[in-house]
Amino acid sequence: MTLKLSTPLFFCLTLCGTLQAAPNAEAEAAFQRAVLAAEANAQWAERLIDQEQKGQLDKQITTEALRDIGQKHDAVEHDLRQASDGGHAVASYLLANLQERSKLWVSGQYTARHEQACALYQRAAEQGLVAAAVAVLRDCDSASQRFLFDDPTLQRQREQLRTTLEHTDPYAEHYPLPALKSLCFKEMKMVAPDPGRPLTTLAQAFEPVQLDLRQYRADGYYLLAAKGDPEQPEVGRGHFTQLRALAPDCLDPIGLAYMYDAQRQKTQ
């Protein structure tokens, strides 16, 4: 069976052509160039992957394709950066996705790329983009991993997400947007490398999931419930209730449903 990948990793930008969020003409023009280039790159990558799976690519062509991926990535990144610098929140979010993804293959730049991604997510979150506020708490928090739930930075990130979720997203018409991770809607799984099909392996390992605004909001409430202050379980339970109302199909990889249901039974 030939595997068909709808959104190859390489560009992480399955974008509709109707995105119109630029605050000025130059930023909008740069963003539209990035959109068009990303769409063309995705089609090019899909053709290569299809040929690879059919055994139609030799080693030289594959090597050249892997080199071209980097060049095409850099061109899209350049236009997104120009749009982001011009105040385009969606461009900032997508550029952050590129930085967060590239940290895994750019030697010696893991920390620097991650910090750049978090700064870009934060910039877009401050402009009210729900997807970005979700990414900040999901990907840029380190305190909860050390069980420091009263950490000032974590508290600020939680409050930012909570406030953003309570307001209308000014970029609502731009969804769906790609998410590199999602606790509710993307399974965590390891992809076994296939030396004979490097392009396919690369795409499977990093393919984003397209989420609409409701799904991003659900992910946001899940994060608030998972990373909330354990001294205030009723707050976390409230966030989880909001999540269930939005997305009863949430994967719930941490098992919050069991935890909060058990707590509720104890109080009855």
Side-chain angles (χ1 to χ4, degrees):
M1 178 184 296
T2 299
L3 176 65
K4 187 67 173 178
L5 296 175
S6 60
T7 311
L9 137 79
F10 318 120
F11 311 105
C12 197
L13 291 173
T14 300
L15 304 175
C16 62
T18 60
L19 298 182
Q20 301 288 334
N24 59 62
E26 290 184 1
E28 176 62 24
F31 182 71
Q32 292 299 334
R33 286 197 303 271
V35 170
L36 293 175
E39 290 175 345
N41 292 344
Q43 294 174 7
W44 167 79
E46 285 185 351
R47 289 195 298 270
L48 284 176
I49 291 170
D50 184 63
Q51 292 172 356
E52 180 184 72
Q53 292 169 353
K54 293 177 179 178
Q56 297 174 351
L57 294 185
D58 59 28
K59 185 175 181 179
Q60 180 179 351
I61 295 176
T62 300
T63 300
E64 292 174 353
L66 289 170
R67 183 195 62 219
D68 289 345
I69 287 171
Q71 295 175 349
K72 292 177 183 293
H73 173 281
D74 290 345
V76 172
E77 180 179 335
H78 176 271
D79 285 332
L80 284 178
R81 189 172 300 281
Q82 183 178 347
S84 174
D85 289 344
H88 199 305
V90 178
S92 294
Y93 172 77
L94 295 172
L95 179 59
N97 276 358
L98 292 183
Q99 296 297 314
E100 186 69 359
R101 187 196 62 209
S102 66
K103 73 182 183 183
L104 299 173
W105 72 60
V106 179
S107 177
Q109 295 191 32
Y110 185 96
T111 300
R113 294 266 176 161
H114 178 66
E115 290 176 351
Q116 291 171 21
C118 287
L120 288 162
Y121 284 139
Q122 179 61 35
R123 179 190 300 177
E126 290 172 358
Q127 293 176 267
L129 184 66
V130 167
V134 169
V136 168
L137 184 56
R138 184 192 63 221
D139 299 332
C140 304
D141 153 53
S142 60
S144 66
Q145 299 173 17
R146 306 191 305 274
F147 302 101
L148 301 176
F149 293 99
D150 59 349
D151 177 80
T153 298
L154 176 57
Q155 290 179 337
R156 178 186 59 77
Q157 291 169 337
R158 285 198 306 250
E159 181 61 19
Q160 174 177 258
L161 177 55
R162 186 191 65 78
T163 302
T164 303
L165 290 172
E166 290 180 351
H167 290 79
T168 300
D169 190 326
Y171 307 97
E173 65 185 32
H174 308 322
Y175 292 83
L177 289 171
L180 301 182
K181 304 173 187 175
S182 170
L183 291 176
C184 277
F185 304 105
K186 185 177 182 181
E187 292 184 7
M188 301 178 188
K189 59 182 180 180
M190 297 294 293
V191 176
D194 184 347
R197 300 197 298 181
L199 298 179
T200 301
T201 299
L202 201 59
Q204 287 180 307
F206 293 97
E207 184 180 17
V209 59
Q210 297 292 317
L211 301 182
D212 59 29
L213 180 54
R214 176 191 64 83
Q215 291 171 314
Y216 271 108
R217 289 173 58 81
D219 258 349
Y221 283 118
Y222 191 90
L223 284 165
L224 288 174
K227 298 190 177 191
D229 188 343
E231 299 298 322
Q232 297 179 312
E234 69 283 354
V235 175
R237 190 159 49 245
H239 292 317
F240 190 72
T241 299
Q242 290 172 292
L243 156 69
R244 277 181 158 172
L246 283 169
D249 58 337
C250 175
L251 295 174
D252 190 12
I254 304 175
L256 293 183
Y258 176 82
M259 181 182 73
Y260 285 122
D261 286 345
Q263 288 180 357
R264 186 176 64 252
Q265 291 174 5
K266 287 182 179 180
T267 59
Q268 290 178 348

